[in-house]
mmCIF file of all heavy atoms in Angstrom:
data_model
loop_
_atom_site.group_PDB
_atom_site.id
_atom_site.type_symbol
_atom_site.label_atom_id
_atom_site.label_comp_id
_atom_site.label_asym_id
_atom_site.label_seq_id
_atom_site.Cartn_x
_atom_site.Cartn_y
_atom_site.Cartn_z
ATOM 1 N N ILE P 12 95.579 119.975 148.734
ATOM 2 C CA ILE P 12 94.614 120.771 147.876
ATOM 3 C C ILE P 12 94.301 119.975 146.681
ATOM 4 O O ILE P 12 95.157 119.508 145.776
ATOM 5 C CB ILE P 12 95.183 122.175 147.465
ATOM 6 C CG1 ILE P 12 95.362 122.936 148.610
ATOM 7 C CG2 ILE P 12 94.328 122.838 146.474
ATOM 8 C CD1 ILE P 12 96.061 124.316 148.449
ATOM 9 N N VAL P 13 92.919 119.849 146.410
ATOM 10 C CA VAL P 13 92.439 118.965 145.319
ATOM 11 C C VAL P 13 92.059 119.979 144.235
ATOM 12 O O VAL P 13 91.324 120.869 144.476
ATOM 13 C CB VAL P 13 91.290 118.087 145.706
ATOM 14 C CG1 VAL P 13 90.745 117.314 144.416
ATOM 15 C CG2 VAL P 13 91.785 117.030 146.708
ATOM 16 N N THR P 15 90.053 120.137 140.659
ATOM 17 C CA THR P 15 89.122 119.588 139.817
ATOM 18 C C THR P 15 88.909 120.201 138.419
ATOM 19 O O THR P 15 88.661 121.403 138.469
ATOM 20 C CB THR P 15 87.736 119.429 140.443
ATOM 21 O OG1 THR P 15 87.944 118.803 141.794
ATOM 22 C CG2 THR P 15 86.769 118.650 139.608
ATOM 23 N N PRO P 18 85.532 120.515 131.439
ATOM 24 C CA PRO P 18 85.060 119.075 131.452
ATOM 25 C C PRO P 18 86.341 118.274 131.382
ATOM 26 O O PRO P 18 87.400 118.656 131.112
ATOM 27 C CB PRO P 18 84.213 119.064 130.215
ATOM 28 C CG PRO P 18 84.890 120.109 129.320
ATOM 29 C CD PRO P 18 85.408 121.185 130.223
ATOM 30 N N SER P 22 85.159 118.551 123.027
ATOM 31 C CA SER P 22 85.241 118.326 121.576
ATOM 32 C C SER P 22 84.842 119.568 120.773
ATOM 33 O O SER P 22 83.725 120.092 120.890
ATOM 34 C CB SER P 22 84.248 117.124 121.243
ATOM 35 O OG SER P 22 84.542 116.055 121.927
ATOM 36 N N SER P 36 90.081 123.113 145.892
ATOM 37 C CA SER P 36 89.336 122.612 147.156
ATOM 38 C C SER P 36 89.445 123.647 148.265
ATOM 39 O O SER P 36 88.698 123.759 149.147
ATOM 40 C CB SER P 36 89.689 121.254 147.572
ATOM 41 O OG SER P 36 91.037 121.265 147.944
ATOM 42 N N SER P 38 91.441 127.937 148.776
ATOM 43 C CA SER P 38 92.081 129.041 148.016
ATOM 44 C C SER P 38 93.523 128.738 147.749
ATOM 45 O O SER P 38 94.206 128.381 148.662
ATOM 46 C CB SER P 38 92.005 130.452 148.818
ATOM 47 O OG SER P 38 92.673 131.377 148.173
ATOM 48 N N GLN P 42 98.234 131.393 142.710
ATOM 49 C CA GLN P 42 99.355 130.519 142.469
ATOM 50 C C GLN P 42 98.898 129.254 141.621
ATOM 51 O O GLN P 42 99.077 128.052 142.119
ATOM 52 C CB GLN P 42 100.078 130.208 143.821
ATOM 53 C CG GLN P 42 100.710 131.388 144.409
ATOM 54 C CD GLN P 42 101.250 131.217 145.639
ATOM 55 O OE1 GLN P 42 100.877 130.313 146.635
ATOM 56 N NE2 GLN P 42 102.296 132.066 146.101
ATOM 57 N N TRP P 45 99.196 126.410 134.358
ATOM 58 C CA TRP P 45 98.551 125.633 133.317
ATOM 59 C C TRP P 45 99.722 124.975 132.441
ATOM 60 O O TRP P 45 100.680 125.792 132.177
ATOM 61 C CB TRP P 45 97.581 126.446 132.456
ATOM 62 C CG TRP P 45 96.449 126.897 133.199
ATOM 63 C CD1 TRP P 45 96.107 128.141 133.801
ATOM 64 C CD2 TRP P 45 95.175 126.121 133.210
ATOM 65 N NE1 TRP P 45 94.841 128.077 134.174
ATOM 66 C CE2 TRP P 45 94.229 126.830 133.922
ATOM 67 C CE3 TRP P 45 94.734 124.842 132.832
ATOM 68 C CZ2 TRP P 45 92.849 126.499 134.234
ATOM 69 C CZ3 TRP P 45 93.497 124.421 133.105
ATOM 70 C CH2 TRP P 45 92.611 125.233 133.791
ATOM 71 N N GLN P 52 104.684 113.420 124.605
ATOM 72 C CA GLN P 52 105.624 114.472 124.849
ATOM 73 C C GLN P 52 105.573 114.846 126.275
ATOM 74 O O GLN P 52 104.607 114.439 126.977
ATOM 75 C CB GLN P 52 105.301 115.746 123.958
ATOM 76 C CG GLN P 52 105.501 115.583 122.495
ATOM 77 C CD GLN P 52 105.280 116.925 121.717
ATOM 78 O OE1 GLN P 52 105.302 117.975 122.340
ATOM 79 N NE2 GLN P 52 105.203 116.821 120.540
ATOM 80 N N LEU P 57 102.444 126.770 129.999
ATOM 81 C CA LEU P 57 101.568 127.835 129.239
ATOM 82 C C LEU P 57 101.408 129.075 130.040
ATOM 83 O O LEU P 57 101.811 130.144 129.558
ATOM 84 C CB LEU P 57 100.241 127.232 128.944
ATOM 85 C CG LEU P 57 100.089 125.996 127.940
ATOM 86 C CD1 LEU P 57 98.689 125.662 127.999
ATOM 87 C CD2 LEU P 57 100.721 126.268 126.679
ATOM 88 N N ALA P 61 98.275 132.234 137.373
ATOM 89 C CA ALA P 61 96.987 132.351 136.785
ATOM 90 C C ALA P 61 96.748 133.061 135.538
ATOM 91 O O ALA P 61 95.906 132.562 134.753
ATOM 92 C CB ALA P 61 96.115 132.987 137.876
ATOM 93 N N ASN P 63 99.703 134.775 133.619
ATOM 94 C CA ASN P 63 100.951 135.191 133.023
ATOM 95 C C ASN P 63 101.351 134.178 132.022
ATOM 96 O O ASN P 63 101.677 133.058 132.295
ATOM 97 C CB ASN P 63 101.970 135.423 134.004
ATOM 98 C CG ASN P 63 101.750 136.631 134.986
ATOM 99 O OD1 ASN P 63 101.956 137.693 134.628
ATOM 100 N ND2 ASN P 63 101.380 136.104 136.101
ATOM 101 N N ARG P 64 101.397 134.623 130.735
ATOM 102 C CA ARG P 64 101.883 133.753 129.668
ATOM 103 C C ARG P 64 103.409 133.453 129.812
ATOM 104 O O ARG P 64 104.200 134.405 130.042
ATOM 105 C CB ARG P 64 101.580 134.134 128.241
ATOM 106 C CG ARG P 64 100.157 133.723 127.707
ATOM 107 C CD ARG P 64 100.146 134.140 126.169
ATOM 108 N NE ARG P 64 100.410 135.526 126.044
ATOM 109 C CZ ARG P 64 99.558 136.513 126.092
ATOM 110 N NH1 ARG P 64 98.281 136.200 126.500
ATOM 111 N NH2 ARG P 64 99.852 137.746 125.922
ATOM 112 N N ALA P 65 103.730 132.148 129.649
ATOM 113 C CA ALA P 65 105.190 131.782 129.702
ATOM 114 C C ALA P 65 105.833 132.244 128.402
ATOM 115 O O ALA P 65 105.129 132.546 127.407
ATOM 116 C CB ALA P 65 105.290 130.300 129.851
ATOM 117 N N GLY P 67 107.283 132.499 124.835
ATOM 118 C CA GLY P 67 106.978 131.810 123.630
ATOM 119 C C GLY P 67 105.544 131.355 123.369
ATOM 120 O O GLY P 67 105.201 130.769 122.447
ATOM 121 N N ILE P 68 104.757 131.530 124.412
ATOM 122 C CA ILE P 68 103.303 131.073 124.393
ATOM 123 C C ILE P 68 102.582 132.001 123.540
ATOM 124 O O ILE P 68 102.376 133.255 123.833
ATOM 125 C CB ILE P 68 102.765 130.743 125.699
ATOM 126 C CG1 ILE P 68 103.659 129.763 126.506
ATOM 127 C CG2 ILE P 68 101.219 130.401 125.645
ATOM 128 C CD1 ILE P 68 103.782 128.405 125.751
ATOM 129 N N SER P 77 91.191 133.549 140.389
ATOM 130 C CA SER P 77 91.940 133.683 141.687
ATOM 131 C C SER P 77 91.190 132.991 142.720
ATOM 132 O O SER P 77 89.909 132.841 142.584
ATOM 133 C CB SER P 77 92.212 135.221 142.168
ATOM 134 O OG SER P 77 91.059 135.831 142.389
ATOM 135 N N VAL P 95 96.062 117.583 125.931
ATOM 136 C CA VAL P 95 95.590 117.520 127.354
ATOM 137 C C VAL P 95 96.182 118.643 128.033
ATOM 138 O O VAL P 95 97.327 118.950 127.983
ATOM 139 C CB VAL P 95 95.982 116.095 127.999
ATOM 140 C CG1 VAL P 95 95.437 116.214 129.343
ATOM 141 C CG2 VAL P 95 95.373 114.960 127.244
ATOM 142 N N TYR P 96 95.288 119.308 128.820
ATOM 143 C CA TYR P 96 95.667 120.534 129.683
ATOM 144 C C TYR P 96 95.589 120.183 131.045
ATOM 145 O O TYR P 96 94.551 119.655 131.573
ATOM 146 C CB TYR P 96 94.880 121.749 129.295
ATOM 147 C CG TYR P 96 95.162 122.131 127.767
ATOM 148 C CD1 TYR P 96 94.530 121.562 126.702
ATOM 149 C CD2 TYR P 96 96.136 123.163 127.535
ATOM 150 C CE1 TYR P 96 94.928 121.923 125.375
ATOM 151 C CE2 TYR P 96 96.394 123.425 126.140
ATOM 152 C CZ TYR P 96 95.779 122.712 125.240
ATOM 153 O OH TYR P 96 96.066 123.198 123.985
ATOM 154 N N LYS P 103 100.470 125.595 148.359
ATOM 155 C CA LYS P 103 100.771 124.708 149.498
ATOM 156 C C LYS P 103 101.238 123.383 149.088
ATOM 157 O O LYS P 103 101.003 122.693 148.209
ATOM 158 C CB LYS P 103 99.391 124.388 150.414
ATOM 159 C CG LYS P 103 98.919 125.602 151.161
ATOM 160 C CD LYS P 103 97.743 125.093 152.146
ATOM 161 C CE LYS P 103 97.310 126.294 153.117
ATOM 162 N NZ LYS P 103 96.970 127.478 152.249
ATOM 163 N N PRO P 105 101.600 119.340 149.699
ATOM 164 C CA PRO P 105 102.293 119.068 148.523
ATOM 165 C C PRO P 105 101.658 119.755 147.193
ATOM 166 O O PRO P 105 100.464 120.118 147.166
ATOM 167 C CB PRO P 105 101.980 117.584 148.360
ATOM 168 C CG PRO P 105 100.710 117.337 148.995
ATOM 169 C CD PRO P 105 100.528 118.338 150.101
ATOM 170 N N GLY P 109 95.686 119.064 138.733
ATOM 171 C CA GLY P 109 94.344 118.557 138.282
ATOM 172 C C GLY P 109 94.369 117.248 137.419
ATOM 173 O O GLY P 109 95.487 116.904 137.011
#
Side-chain angles (χ1 to χ4, degrees):
Chain P
I12 295 176
V13 176
T15 302
S22 299
S36 59
S38 176
Q42 295 174 336
W45 290 95
Q52 295 187 14
L57 294 177
N63 296 284
R64 268 191 308 276
I68 301 303
S77 66
V95 180
Y96 293 83
K103 282 188 173 61

